[in-house]
Amino acid sequence: MIMRKKVFLLLLASVALSSCSQGNDKENRELTAEMAYEGVNNYCHSEYDWSVAKDNPSIMGVEKAEDMDSVYQVVFRSYTGASVYFYVNKASGATRMVERVPALGVESEAGTINVYDYLKKEK
């Protein structure tokens, strides 16, 4: 009787842990450079007006930049000459944005996102 109770409790605990870990997609997938790029690209296409680049796509774009120890760097280049640097934390997906306008010598914090929020959900 005691053995059955222990087995039941172990089984119950294992099911609970399994369902908790499956519910948190952000912790189940390892963030790759490609995922960081895809998330930033999706963010940029949802937040910025790309219609100005319809006739000349080369005036705007998203590109992979440096792969540092703890972050992936992805850069959005605007038709205005400004660039937004995305620093994507490899462990968490937390992303810091820094906007730079070289012509004016200006650099400023531009907010944060979590890159996982902009990745297509796997079905």
Side-chain angles (χ1 to χ4, degrees):
M1 176 90 163
I2 294 175
M3 187 61 135
R4 275 195 241 160
K5 201 176 210 181
K6 285 182 180 179
V7 169
F8 175 75
L9 288 175
L10 285 173
L11 180 62
L12 186 62
S14 128
V15 168
L17 286 174
S18 173
S19 65
C20 287
S21 67
Q22 288 176 358
N24 192 344
D25 189 43
K26 293 177 184 179
E27 292 179 10
N28 285 340
R29 294 190 291 174
E30 182 178 326
L31 187 65
T32 65
E34 289 73 26
M35 291 168 70
Y37 170 81
E38 177 188 345
V40 170
N41 191 45
N42 290 343
Y43 171 83
C44 290
H45 277 83
S46 70
E47 293 296 315
Y48 300 114
D49 179 13
W50 289 74
S51 64
V52 295
K54 189 174 184 177
D55 294 331
N56 186 2
S58 66
I59 64 172
M60 288 177 75
V62 177
E63 58 191 54
K64 293 179 192 175
E66 291 184 59
D67 181 0
M68 300 174 211
D69 286 341
S70 62
V71 296
Y72 297 114
Q73 186 184 54
V74 182
V75 180
F76 165 72
R77 300 197 191 286
S78 173
Y79 69 94
T80 64
S83 295
V84 179
Y85 289 75
F86 293 81
Y87 298 93
V88 183
N89 184 293
K90 292 178 179 181
S92 67
T95 304
R96 184 175 138 249
M97 299 180 291
V98 177
E99 184 174 10
R100 295 182 183 146
V101 184
L104 302 176
V106 175
E107 178 175 306
S108 61
E109 293 291 325
T112 60
I113 62 170
N114 192 303
V115 78
Y116 280 110
D117 294 337
Y118 295 91
L119 291 174
K120 294 179 181 156
K121 306 292 184 223
E122 294 177 10
K123 295 182 181 182

